[in-house]
């Protein structure tokens, strides 16, 4: 049952990027209405986006982004769902949940509607176990625990920075896989939550994602994609790779698995192939880069880590394509803009001690 008082009601914003009327919110009303929404309108700012009555929201279009950020607005993508990260920047809440407007309420195997937001919150409020894998998955869930042989010194876990949810129906496939499996649908509901081990990267999908903004927010930059850029559909994955390297360094956790949403429609694989074409080649260089990234010990905040990462992106990936020099510049601009809107309060808590000042 849903809580009488919604969890984290005054501590969480829901961020939605869109180019269309948000009729899909009607389905989510029982779960989303108590929360504040930040809607980031992509594309033509003169278009009016209709939001169903009864929701507490603020809406930003491209004109608003330019007004708030000035010249630094160049770091926010245009005509791409990567624009959602502007919502992360202007939020004043501790937690963020972001969802795409083609994601509907899924049902569990018993036929009950899944409150995806509530499950994400539970994931974020319980620890992660990145340093040693528990074969019963998340040991903090009801009915589970640490198995025999799990070190007692690691059973407290570490703070969870990211909760990565999944999708029923349309899987999150790349264009080549879409083309060879046009009718494939994900019908498997796996009742599991895993901590992604330290040192392991993963392809993060932004359509059903929650994170602790105070722990990892500045790393959640969805890159420079879309209009005028040579790549698209890698925005969430770029953020995921950067975030995972930084959470590993700071001793934080990332969970994946529950909750599921119902992904209602497949995007055009031919359009997707145009967007992904360079990325499909570049990722063969990107993954080894992120696997080998080393951050210095004095990088004790997310911002310091991210600026160091930008420096390494320029030095090593700039040789792959000049785009990565531009991306490195935008990563720096993003952090500058973040700090202007969110003056540091003192530091980031780590798993190994008090907040670093």
């Amino acid at each position: 049952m849903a809580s009488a008082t919604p969890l984290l009601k005054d501590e969480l914003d829901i961020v939605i990027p869109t180019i269309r009327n948000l009729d899909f919110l009607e389905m989510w009303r029982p779960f989303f209405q108590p929360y504040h929404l930040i809607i980031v309108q992509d594309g033509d700012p003169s278009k009016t986006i209709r939001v169903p009555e009864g929701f507490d929201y603020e809406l930003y279009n491209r004109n608003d982004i330019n007004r708030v950020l000035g010249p630094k607005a160049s770091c926010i993508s245009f005509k791409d769902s990567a624009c959602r990260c502007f919502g992360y920047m202007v939020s004043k809440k501790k937690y963020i949940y972001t969802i795409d407007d083609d994601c509907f309420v899924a049902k569990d195997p018993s036929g009950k509607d899944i409150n995806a937001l509530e499950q994400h919150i539970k994931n974020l409020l319980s620890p992660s176990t990145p340093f040693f894998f528990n074969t019963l998955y998340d040991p903090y869930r009801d009915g589970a625990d640490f198995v025999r042989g799990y070190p007692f010194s690691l059973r407290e876990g570490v703070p969870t920075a990211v909760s990565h949810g999944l999708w029923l129906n349309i899987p999150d496939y790349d264009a080549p896989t879409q083309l060879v499996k046009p009718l494939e649908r994900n019908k498997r509901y796996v009742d599991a939550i895993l901590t992604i081990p330290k040192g392991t990267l993963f392809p993060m999908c932004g359509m059903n994602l929650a994170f602790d903004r105070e722990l990892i927010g500045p790393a959640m930059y969805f890159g420079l994609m879309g209009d005028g850029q040579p790549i698209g559909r890698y925005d969430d994955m770029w953020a995921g790779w950067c975030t995972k390297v930084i959470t590993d360094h700071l001793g934080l956790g990332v969970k994946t698995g529950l909750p599921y949403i119902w992904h209602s429609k497949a995007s055009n694989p031919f359009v997707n192939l145009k967007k992904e074409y360079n990325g499909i080649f570049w990722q063969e260089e990107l993954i080894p880069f992120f696997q080998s990234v080393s951050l210095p010990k004095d990088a004790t905040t997310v911002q310091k880590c991210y600026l160091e990462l930008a420096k390494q992106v320029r030095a090593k990936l700039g040789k792959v394509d000049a785009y990565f020099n531009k991306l490195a510049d935008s990563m720096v601009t993003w952090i500058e803009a973040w700090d202007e809107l969110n003056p540091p309060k003192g530091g980031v808590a780590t798993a190994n001690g008090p907040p670093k000042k």
Side-chain angles (χ1 to χ4, degrees), residues 219 221 238 242 246 302-310 331 335:
Y221 176 46
W238 179 264
C242 293
I246 292 172
V302 177
Q303 284 93 331
K304 287 180 181 177
C305 291
Y306 204 74
L307 291 173
E308 173 62 29
L309 203 48
M331 292 169 72
I335 293 296

Side-chain angles (χ1 to χ4, degrees), residues 274-339:
K274 280 185 176 181
K275 295 178 180 179
E276 294 172 2
Y277 181 80
N278 285 321
I280 289 169
F281 290 99
W282 290 346
Q283 70 184 18
E284 302 305 321
E285 305 273 356
L286 297 179
I287 301 306
F289 164 75
F290 281 105
Q291 287 173 327
S292 64
V293 161
S294 178
L295 298 173
K297 287 184 178 178
D298 63 356
T300 53
T301 68
V302 177
Q303 284 93 331
K304 287 180 181 177
C305 291
Y306 204 74
L307 291 173
E308 173 62 29
L309 203 48
K311 192 187 305 180
Q312 295 189 33
V313 166
R314 182 189 307 283
K316 297 179 181 177
L317 295 181
K319 301 170 186 174
V320 175
D321 191 272
Y323 163 75
F324 291 101
N325 292 323
K326 189 176 181 183
L327 179 55
D329 288 339
S330 290
M331 292 169 72
V332 174
T333 302
W334 162 263
I335 293 296
E336 291 172 351
W338 182 283
D339 283 346

Side-chain angles (χ1 to χ4, degrees), residues 162-181:
V162 180
S163 172
H164 178 254
L166 298 175
W167 352 268
L168 293 171
N169 196 34
I170 306 294
D172 186 29
Y173 285 162
D174 53 39
T177 309
Q178 279 184 292
L179 287 166
V180 297
K181 293 183 171 182

Side-chain angles (χ1 to χ4, degrees), residues 78-141:
F78 184 56
K79 294 187 178 176
D80 193 281
S81 65
C83 67
R84 78 177 78 218
C85 61
F86 176 77
Y88 310 160
M89 183 186 285
V90 296
S91 170
K92 300 304 176 189
K93 304 289 177 63
K94 178 172 169 57
Y95 299 98
I96 294 287
Y97 174 52
T98 186
I99 185 171
D100 284 4
D101 60 16
D102 63 350
C103 294
F104 299 164
V105 177
K107 294 184 182 296
D108 68 17
S110 74
K112 179 185 174 186
D113 284 352
I114 296 169
N115 184 346
L117 178 54
E118 184 176 61
Q119 182 62 57
H120 274 299
I121 291 170
K122 289 177 178 177
N123 292 350
L124 289 171
L125 294 182
S126 64
S128 293
T129 54
F131 304 125
F132 201 89
F133 187 79
N134 191 54
T135 51
L136 265 185
Y137 311 124
D138 191 336
Y140 305 104
R141 293 186 73 196

Side-chain angles (χ1 to χ4, degrees), residues 238-296:
W238 179 264
W241 297 328
C242 293
T243 293
K244 188 58 168 62
V245 165
I246 292 172
T247 54
D248 284 354
H249 176 75
L250 294 177
L252 302 169
V254 176
K255 291 183 177 182
T256 187
L258 299 182
Y260 284 93
I261 51 83
W262 180 270
H263 188 204
S264 65
K265 70 177 195 295
S267 46
N268 186 312
F270 297 100
V271 173
N272 290 347
L273 187 59
K274 280 185 176 181
K275 295 178 180 179
E276 294 172 2
Y277 181 80
N278 285 321
I280 289 169
F281 290 99
W282 290 346
Q283 70 184 18
E284 302 305 321
E285 305 273 356
L286 297 179
I287 301 306
F289 164 75
F290 281 105
Q291 287 173 327
S292 64
V293 161
S294 178
L295 298 173

